[in-house]
Every structure is written in structure tokens, then in C-alpha cells.
Amino acid sequence: MSEKSAPAEVRDCPEADRYEARVGGEVAGFAQYIRTKGLVAFVHTVVDPAFEGRGVGSALVRTSLDEARAAGVSVLAVCPFYSGWIARHPDYQDLLYAERSKVTD
């Protein structure tokens, strides 16, 4: 398999508050987040133009959402890429944060 077609390896980099996707050891993209005890908000996703169209963004989203599910936390998809991806993958919609407060003014 050539480096051009190698799959992205995604890992959480909590020291940088982001998930990184690497292809051949090179950072191909990242998903920036804000994390609290019960919630992770994905706020910005970037894929290097040299790696666009090769599934890097999808690998970032899928891996980070799978890890959120495993940790039992809700997801707030602030980033349009995340919200669009989740809209196209209904099996991940249960992770979306839903306001549960019944308090009104």
C-alpha cells in the first residue's frame, strides 16, 4: 500500500485538546475539542489539502465519536463538518447532547 492510499491513524492528543489523524507519520488533519466531565464539544476540524478526499475527516469523526461513546460522554457538534457527518450517520445521533433542564424563567 502506498503512502498516498495508507489509512489515517487517529489518536487523541489531550495535551493539545484535539484528535490528530496521521498518514505516514505526517499530520493530515485534526479535530479541535473542548472537554468537560460529561461532554465533548467538537469545535473545529482541519484536513490538510494534500490529504483531502481520502477519508481523513471521516476517520477523525468516527474515531472520536467511538471514543466518546466508550467513555459515556455526550457530544456537542459545533463544527459544521461534525454536525453534517453525524446527520449522515444516524447510528451516531444518540451521542448528541440534548438539553435536559426543565428550568424556565
Side-chain angles (χ1 to χ4, degrees), residues 51-101:
F51 295 96
E52 286 181 357
R54 295 173 38 199
V56 171
S58 289
L60 281 165
V61 176
R62 188 177 305 278
T63 299
S64 61
L65 294 181
D66 286 346
E67 289 187 9
R69 185 183 308 281
V73 299
S74 295
V75 169
L76 184 59
V78 177
C79 169
F81 185 80
Y82 265 76
S83 61
W85 193 94
I86 292 169
R88 292 186 307 279
H89 296 85
D91 48 327
Y92 286 91
Q93 291 176 7
D94 64 305
L95 291 172
L96 292 174
Y97 172 77
E99 178 62 49
R100 291 176 179 86
S101 174

Side-chain angles (χ1 to χ4, degrees), residues 2-15:
S2 75
E3 208 170 281
K4 285 279 187 199
S5 61
E9 295 178 16
V10 178
R11 69 179 186 96
D12 187 9
C13 299
E15 68 283 356

